[in-house]
Amino acid sequence: YPEVELLFTGHSLGAALAFVTASSTSSRSYPVAPAVAFSSPSWLDPLRQHGGRVPSSAATYKRFYAIADWYDPVQGEAIAQHGLRGQVCTWKLEAPSLACRLCFAPPSPFQRNLACKLCFSQRHVYKHYIHDLIPGPRPQCVNASSAHVPSADFGLGGMPSKAAAL
């Protein structure tokens, strides 16, 4: 239906599927379909592994938006793996819990341990987005190629220190 512009959306696995599906819509005549998704895991490598055409950064720049809590471990891992394209938009409203600080800590962040499971239950569930984040200010967006995850250098208040934010 070339006269209809589709918008793909989803959360978690549905977010990755939204980006993969939108990636397959481009042609010489039509740009890649837009996608707005919450808490996306990495989707670039799975798309490559299954022979899909990966859209360029330029094609997705103002068309793909991966939206998440700054301390969401699923999207955090995707950013660390450089597994997203388009814009990465994050809310940085609440100080992270001890579980999230441990989950994001080097040398091996995002391990499947108790801290990451607890952080996941606090920051990844869609209820958190509906009740805590969406009613507040808009998230801040950056190009996926320049996005980074929170470091272990947290200030005394629990938020990243100025040095870590730079």
Side-chain angles (χ1 to χ4, degrees):
Y1 303 98
E3 67 278 357
V4 177
E5 184 171 41
L6 300 172
L7 169 67
F8 293 91
T9 189
H11 171 259
S12 198
L13 177 57
L17 292 172
F19 289 129
V20 167
T21 305
S23 296
S24 69
T25 64
S26 67
S27 68
R28 293 182 195 267
S29 311
Y30 300 100
V32 67
V36 177
F38 294 89
S39 304
S40 181
S42 177
W43 56 271
L44 287 174
D45 283 340
L47 184 60
R48 286 184 190 108
Q49 290 169 0
H50 294 285
R53 187 176 59 199
V54 176
S56 69
S57 294
T60 61
Y61 178 64
K62 291 288 186 179
R63 311 280 296 166
F64 284 12
Y65 292 87
I67 303 172
D69 183 298
W70 177 247
Y71 297 100
D72 184 320
V74 172
Q75 188 155 306
E77 185 174 35
I79 292 167
Q81 295 173 348
H82 305 288
L84 302 173
R85 285 267 163 91
Q87 298 285 299
V88 171
C89 306
T90 55
W91 281 280
K92 300 178 187 178
L93 300 180
E94 303 172 7
S97 65
L98 176 60
C100 289
R101 289 196 305 262
L102 292 172
C103 181
F104 279 75
S108 300
F110 313 114
Q111 298 297 309
R112 305 298 189 253
N113 58 30
L114 184 59
C116 285
K117 288 177 184 177
L118 183 56
C119 184
F120 178 93
S121 72
Q122 295 167 346
R123 301 295 182 129
H124 183 74
V125 295
Y126 198 64
K127 176 183 170 186
H128 170 61
Y129 289 86
I130 297 296
H131 292 287
D132 301 331
L133 300 177
I134 292 173
R138 290 179 177 241
Q140 297 177 354
C141 299
V142 298
N143 191 312
S145 63
S146 62
H148 65 280
V149 295
S151 74
D153 179 22
F154 294 94
L156 295 176
M159 293 299 286
S161 69
K162 289 182 182 177
L166 296 176

